Amino acid sequence: MASINASPETAYTESVESLASRVLDDLLGVQDTALVSDQVISTSGYKTALAAVRVLGSDMFAPQVLTGTVFHPEDAAAVVSAFQIFPPLPMDSPAVSVPSWRDWAMARLLTRYGGDDLGVEQPLGDCALTDTEDWRIWSVRMAQLSPLALPGLDSPIHDAARDNPLALSRGLTRAMLRRDYPTAARLVRWIALLSSSGVASPVDPETVATHLQLLGGNGARTALDIIITRWLLGMEWR
Amino acid sequence: MLALHHSSLAATLPETTAVTSLMAEPEAAISDAPVFSPQAAGALLALLLLSPKTEPKDK
């Protein structure tokens, strides 16, 4: 648990890692309680726990998407509370792009798996996220949008990914050369999603996924990205 | 059961900013890849010259 004097970002980062770890446990069949249980709240604090929900976003639904398990009602309530305490940014905010798309994806999956309709619409007219002229900037944004790289979601962001496997591959290669494995894991997840729908890429995602699994560190969020990637590619993932 | 006291728990600006920043996490600021360091050339040459001479092993 973060110290009482830690900045919100430090405490939230720890909480996100903890939540991602519990999502991993759920995927592997180890977790049998709500991801955001009373025990979690009592340990990390209510607001910190819900901040983690907002940051992890639609990746909370990975067990449901990948294995078909039921989304716990307490977790559905936690998502609703998280959106109430950390509401979506106004659409005219300059920082709207990435968080708004992530909010849309999470809200969509919440509805799909039995939760309330949060009324979050797709952002409109977001040219920056579909402009691939500078593949380095664009690929970093796509990495930030990796929670959208789940089967069953579709949007202009997914269209941009399908239309630009080369830019994604360049971004992935650059991340690997820089040994920025969290970014690489998020980008290979996109390439794996494309592969699952028959879109070829210059980079072999299976090789990258194996490399990241061996050398990508022990972060829970990166591990979650790799497991989702392996599932998308039909590789052994448990 | 979650306690719903939202009115007293609304996120402050720093808290909202923290969540937004973590959602749009940038790439690693510093690459872990090895970088060219011309200053190291002299040190490397000295190490090579000072290293003990060994005869190649007979195969």
Side-chain angles (χ1 to χ4, degrees):
Chain A
M1 178 177 169
S3 71
I4 195 168
N5 294 321
S7 69
E9 195 158 324
T10 301
Y12 294 173
T13 299
E14 293 179 11
S15 186
V16 173
E17 273 291 303
S18 178
L19 179 60
S21 182
R22 292 194 298 280
V23 171
L24 280 170
D25 288 343
D26 196 0
L27 268 173
L28 299 175
V30 177
Q31 174 87 19
D32 60 357
T33 61
L35 298 173
V36 190
S37 64
D38 286 347
Q39 180 183 9
V40 169
I41 292 170
S42 66
T43 301
S44 63
Y46 184 59
K47 192 179 285 187
T48 300
L50 296 187
V53 169
R54 293 290 274 115
V55 174
L56 195 63
S58 50
D59 282 353
M60 270 188 74
F61 297 91
Q64 287 67 50
V65 175
L66 272 58
T67 65
T69 56
V70 175
F71 196 57
H72 201 290
E74 285 187 26
D75 290 330
V79 173
V80 173
S81 297
F83 270 78
Q84 290 171 337
I85 291 176
F86 296 94
L89 294 175
M91 281 295 174
D92 58 355
S93 167
V96 72
S97 297
V98 167
S100 296
W101 279 109
R102 291 172 63 127
D103 289 347
W104 166 79
M106 188 171 202
R108 190 162 183 88
L109 291 176
L110 177 66
T111 305
R112 179 177 303 168
Y113 291 106
D116 295 343
D117 182 358
L118 297 176
V120 179
E121 302 294 330
Q122 277 193 12
L124 297 175
D126 200 347
C127 299
L129 289 174
T130 55
D131 181 4
T132 62
E133 183 172 348
D134 187 331
W135 58 264
R136 288 173 298 177
I137 294 175
W138 181 78
S139 65
V140 169
R141 290 198 183 115
M142 290 300 287
Q144 294 165 350
L145 289 168
S146 63
L148 273 69
L150 283 171
L153 288 173
D154 202 18
S155 70
I157 302 299
H158 296 80
D159 291 338
R162 279 188 288 268
D163 292 341
N164 296 281
L166 179 58
L168 280 173
S169 298
R170 284 172 171 166
L172 170 59
T173 303
R174 177 171 179 271
M176 292 294 286
L177 289 172
R178 298 178 78 247
R179 298 180 192 173
D180 183 358
Y181 294 139
T183 297
R186 291 161 189 164
L187 288 173
V188 77
R189 183 171 154 177
W190 275 112
I191 292 176
L193 182 67
L194 299 189
S195 176
S196 70
S197 59
V199 178
S201 302
V203 175
D204 178 13
E206 289 193 14
T207 302
V208 174
T210 301
H211 184 100
L212 289 172
Q213 187 167 22
L214 293 172
L215 300 174
N218 55 6
R221 292 184 70 186
T222 299
L224 185 56
D225 286 324
I226 294 169
I227 279 186
I228 293 171
T229 296
R230 293 176 70 90
W231 183 91
L232 287 167
L233 295 171
M235 300 170 71
E236 184 178 339
W237 59 274
R238 287 184 188 270
Chain B
M1 178 73 70
L2 293 173
L4 304 177
H5 303 295
H6 297 158
S7 60
S8 63
L9 288 175
T12 63
L13 180 59
E15 292 168 338
T16 301
T17 301
V19 166
T20 304
S21 296
L22 288 174
M23 282 187 179
E25 188 177 340
E27 62 179 352
I30 300 174
S31 165
D32 194 27
V35 295
F36 174 65
S37 174
Q39 303 92 316
L44 183 59
L45 182 60
L47 283 173
L48 286 171
L49 291 174
L50 294 173
S51 61
K53 299 292 188 293
T54 55
E55 294 294 328
K57 294 180 180 178
D58 292 330
K59 291 188 179 178

